[in-house]
Amino acid sequence: MSDITLYRNKELPFLEAKLCRKSDLAYQKHFHEEYSIGLIDEGETQAWCEGLVWRVESGRMISFPPHMLHACQPAEKVNWKYKMLFINPKWFEQIELPHMDTLQIPFLLEDGKNEACSKLLNHTMGYLTINGSPLEIETSLIQLVFTLTNKHASDLAHESHNSLEQKYVKRLKEYIHEYYKDRITLEMLEQETGISRYHLIRMFKKSTHLPPHAYQNLLRINHAKTELKKRIPIAEIAVDTGYYDQSHFSKAFAKIVGATPQTYAMSI
């Protein structure tokens, strides 16, 4: 496995991820055009940022806004592993998240927020590494940035329902039902409803208790169960339902059904 691996999704050109396992890799003073969010998986580093030096240990997250000068010097004689997301600033203009001003300074996260954001960063990275759907990747990224920037972040606020919101949720459901086999993006849903990505995720999850990508996945799995009963080959079903490959399909199927597609088909 390479010391440095980069991950991209052609449908989400605003996002790039990097996984580094090179213990002797130090970075001299530099800056990025993108907003960067990092998580130290192993080891620790001294992070210099505009005259200040921060010690960043394993399990800690740090972020830098675009064009902020910084440098990193990993500790000697320790394994050094970290992951980083690089986000084009123009993406933030599209999602209308609150508290975006807090992204203008670098900071280390503490305690519960660090733990919550670490999980969401790992989810985002995980979806990228398995070439997950753009809906999965961007939804996870929005949840990460929301939690990162919101002082009192919870998954979703418990707000009262209203008829207008239900109208939008109904349209979102109709769209997902119609195109669930396709690689739906949040941009597509945004264009369909005229609602920003951040707000449509909140609305949809408040109403259905699921984010859009999870709802789409359930439709795919239910369709797959019907197809398996027809004795259609598993590989063919995986492609037809929009999964990247048979392995990805099998893992998603087992998480919902409790059995692999092969086991399910043999029991019919």
Side-chain angles (χ1 to χ4, degrees):
M1 184 177 289
S2 173
D3 289 333
I4 295 179
T5 308
L6 297 173
Y7 299 95
R8 303 181 184 92
N9 184 295
K10 64 181 181 180
E11 291 149 310
L12 304 174
F14 56 82
L15 178 64
E16 179 177 280
K18 177 169 72 173
L19 180 61
C20 177
R21 310 172 187 83
K22 189 173 176 60
S23 296
D24 60 349
L25 181 62
Y27 292 94
Q28 58 186 342
K29 293 175 183 177
H30 67 288
F31 60 76
H32 306 285
E33 298 292 330
E34 307 86 4
Y35 189 89
S36 52
I37 305 173
L39 171 63
I40 310 300
D41 290 315
E42 295 180 26
E44 64 178 65
T45 186
Q46 296 291 327
W48 178 94
C49 180
E50 297 195 336
L52 298 176
V53 178
W54 302 359
R55 179 169 174 261
V56 191
E57 311 97 331
S58 176
R60 295 291 298 280
M61 290 184 61
I62 189 169
S63 65
F64 300 99
H67 303 117
M68 180 163 281
L69 200 64
H70 59 282
C72 293
Q73 179 65 54
E76 295 183 1
K77 298 180 181 180
V78 296
N79 290 328
W80 167 239
K81 180 180 177 183
Y82 74 91
K83 56 176 69 80
M84 184 76 72
L85 299 177
F86 300 97
I87 310 166
N88 189 309
K90 291 183 178 179
W91 176 77
F92 292 103
E93 299 172 7
Q94 301 171 344
I95 58 175
E96 299 181 12
L97 276 167
H99 311 293
M100 291 301 295
D101 56 315
T102 58
L103 286 175
Q104 298 310 308
I105 58 172
F107 54 91
L108 288 168
L109 301 186
E110 302 288 346
D111 305 324
K113 176 166 278 197
N114 187 82
E115 182 180 356
C117 289
S118 297
K119 289 180 180 178
L120 289 167
L121 189 148
N122 283 326
H123 287 164
T124 306
M125 193 77 177
Y127 288 135
L128 277 165
T129 58
I130 65 170
N131 197 25
S133 74
L135 201 56
E136 290 174 319
I137 297 167
E138 191 174 8
T139 297
S140 181
L141 180 64
I142 287 176
Q143 290 174 330
L144 166 61
V145 176
F146 172 68
T147 306
L148 190 70
T149 58
N150 196 317
K151 184 177 181 180
H152 304 290
S154 59
D155 191 16
L156 287 171
H158 296 289
E159 301 167 355
S160 60
H161 295 244
N162 61 56
S163 58
L164 183 59
E165 285 189 358
Q166 290 307 299
K167 177 183 175 181
Y168 285 125
V169 171
K170 181 175 182 292
R171 183 65 196 117
L172 286 168
K173 284 184 176 180
E174 289 172 348
Y175 186 91
I176 297 171
H177 274 266
E178 185 173 358
Y179 298 105
Y180 70 90
K181 294 182 182 180
D182 299 338
R183 288 176 70 82
I184 300 172
T185 66
L186 283 173
E187 183 179 8
M188 294 174 183
L189 297 180
E190 185 178 68
Q191 291 174 352
E192 183 67 20
T193 61
I195 303 296
S196 73
R197 302 167 205 196
Y198 164 68
H199 290 293
L200 71 83
I201 290 172
R202 286 174 64 89
M203 261 193 315
F204 194 88
K205 191 169 182 180
K206 185 174 66 176
S207 176
T208 66
H209 306 287
L210 290 172
H213 73 268
Y215 189 83
Q216 179 189 19
N217 189 56
L218 289 179
L219 294 179
R220 287 176 165 182
I221 296 302
N222 288 337
H223 173 76
K225 289 166 67 177
T226 300
E227 297 298 277
L228 286 168
K229 293 174 183 177
K230 298 176 183 178
R231 304 295 181 182
I232 295 175
I234 294 173
E236 184 178 329
I237 295 173
V239 173
D240 178 57
T241 49
Y243 288 97
Y244 178 63
D245 56 25
Q246 186 172 333
S247 175
H248 187 199
F249 165 60
S250 295
K251 290 177 181 177
F253 189 93
K255 286 181 180 179
I256 300 300
V257 181
T260 65
Q262 183 175 7
T263 300
Y264 185 85
M266 290 175 62
S267 67
I268 298 171

